[in-house]
Amino acid sequence: MDFKKAIQEYYEREMAAIKRFNLDEINESMNAILDAYNRKGTIYICGNGGSASTASHFQNDFNKGISEYVDKKFNFYCLNDNVATIMAVANDIGYEEVFRFQLRNKITPNDLFIGISGSGNSKNVVNAAEYAKECGAKVVGITGYTGGKLKELADYKMHVDELDMQIDEDLHMTFDHMMMKIFYNYLTKNEITGNNIADTH
């Protein structure tokens, strides 16, 4: 089979989605993350399915990838990464509470919450975002499709305007790597080059 035409079409759609990025909103989201870092706040992050993997990848890239090279460390906390806790809450209370439960009496106005949802309507992510706001914490919404409820309630938005979950999830991952590269350069005062961080990964 010759898949070249389909391959080209897929990446053309992805490039078109990138061109629709709202750079002002992405920049504001990055500054919210940097502000939380500067005040030593905890940055809670979560998502479902592929977005759960993205959330875990964020935690790795900030807590190790950048923090390896700076004295003051990022403090990301991925709410997906304790499987036993998630299963217990899902079984005993309900899956829609697996993230909000973990934030109860922990998240403070000093912290930041990042929710990742392709549709923007994942009930457990939205519940956690609403609770974070109730506690005075700001919310970054990483969304796709039309953004859903998460985009509506988020204080800061990193949105992919594309009705395709695979492209949305692809580009959510680029947000992580883009920020990792830029923050690394900013915090270490390095010039932006193609080879300057974690090249042994």
Side-chain angles (χ1 to χ4, degrees):
M1 290 293 294
D2 185 350
F3 294 110
K4 291 194 293 294
K5 185 174 185 292
I7 293 167
Q8 181 177 352
E9 289 175 352
Y10 182 89
Y11 284 111
E12 285 177 349
R13 289 179 61 204
E14 200 147 276
M15 289 186 287
I18 291 171
K19 291 179 180 178
R20 292 194 295 274
F21 282 172
N22 186 321
L23 297 186
D24 288 333
E25 289 184 344
I26 294 172
N27 185 66
E28 290 170 358
S29 299
M30 291 176 65
N31 276 284
I33 293 169
L34 189 62
D35 288 345
Y37 165 80
N38 286 331
R39 63 177 179 265
K40 298 182 179 181
T42 299
I43 302 172
Y44 295 95
I45 189 167
C46 64
N48 294 286
S51 297
S53 296
T54 300
S56 189
H57 202 137
F58 264 76
Q59 176 178 266
N60 170 70
D61 284 348
F62 279 80
N63 285 359
K64 192 276 180 187
I66 303 174
S67 293
E68 179 180 356
Y69 303 99
V70 292
D71 291 332
K72 183 166 68 175
K73 312 302 184 186
F74 277 92
N75 184 22
F76 266 69
Y77 186 95
C78 181
L79 300 171
N80 294 101
D81 283 355
N82 190 323
V83 175
T85 296
I86 288 175
M87 297 301 291
V89 175
N91 185 69
D92 298 344
I93 303 172
Y95 188 68
E96 69 277 5
E97 293 300 320
V98 294
F99 301 135
R100 177 160 55 186
F101 179 89
Q102 295 183 70
L103 295 178
R104 289 195 179 280
N105 299 321
K106 290 183 180 178
I107 194 167
T108 73
N110 192 54
D111 301 326
L112 183 69
F113 175 81
I114 302 176
I116 309 174
S117 173
S119 69
N121 292 315
S122 299
K123 184 62 175 175
N124 51 11
V125 176
V126 171
N127 283 348
E130 290 175 341
Y131 180 75
K133 288 176 73 75
E134 290 171 11
C135 294
K138 297 295 185 181
V139 169
V140 176
I142 300 180
T143 56
Y145 282 65
T146 60
K149 294 179 181 178
L150 181 60
K151 186 172 183 280
E152 290 177 8
L153 66 87
D155 301 289
Y156 307 100
K157 309 170 201 308
M158 303 183 79
H159 180 62
V160 179
D161 179 21
E162 177 60 45
L163 302 178
D164 185 305
M165 189 61 71
Q166 283 67 55
I167 290 176
D168 292 339
E169 290 186 352
D170 284 348
L171 297 182
H172 289 170
M173 195 65 249
T174 71
F175 291 153
D176 169 56
H177 285 155
M178 173 273 294
M179 290 192 291
M180 179 187 185
K181 181 77 72 173
I182 291 174
F183 285 150
Y184 167 83
N185 287 313
Y186 174 75
L187 294 171
T188 63
K189 309 305 179 187
N190 277 5
E191 294 183 2
I192 297 177
T193 67
N195 298 300
N196 55 7
I197 182 172
D199 290 324
T200 58
H201 283 186

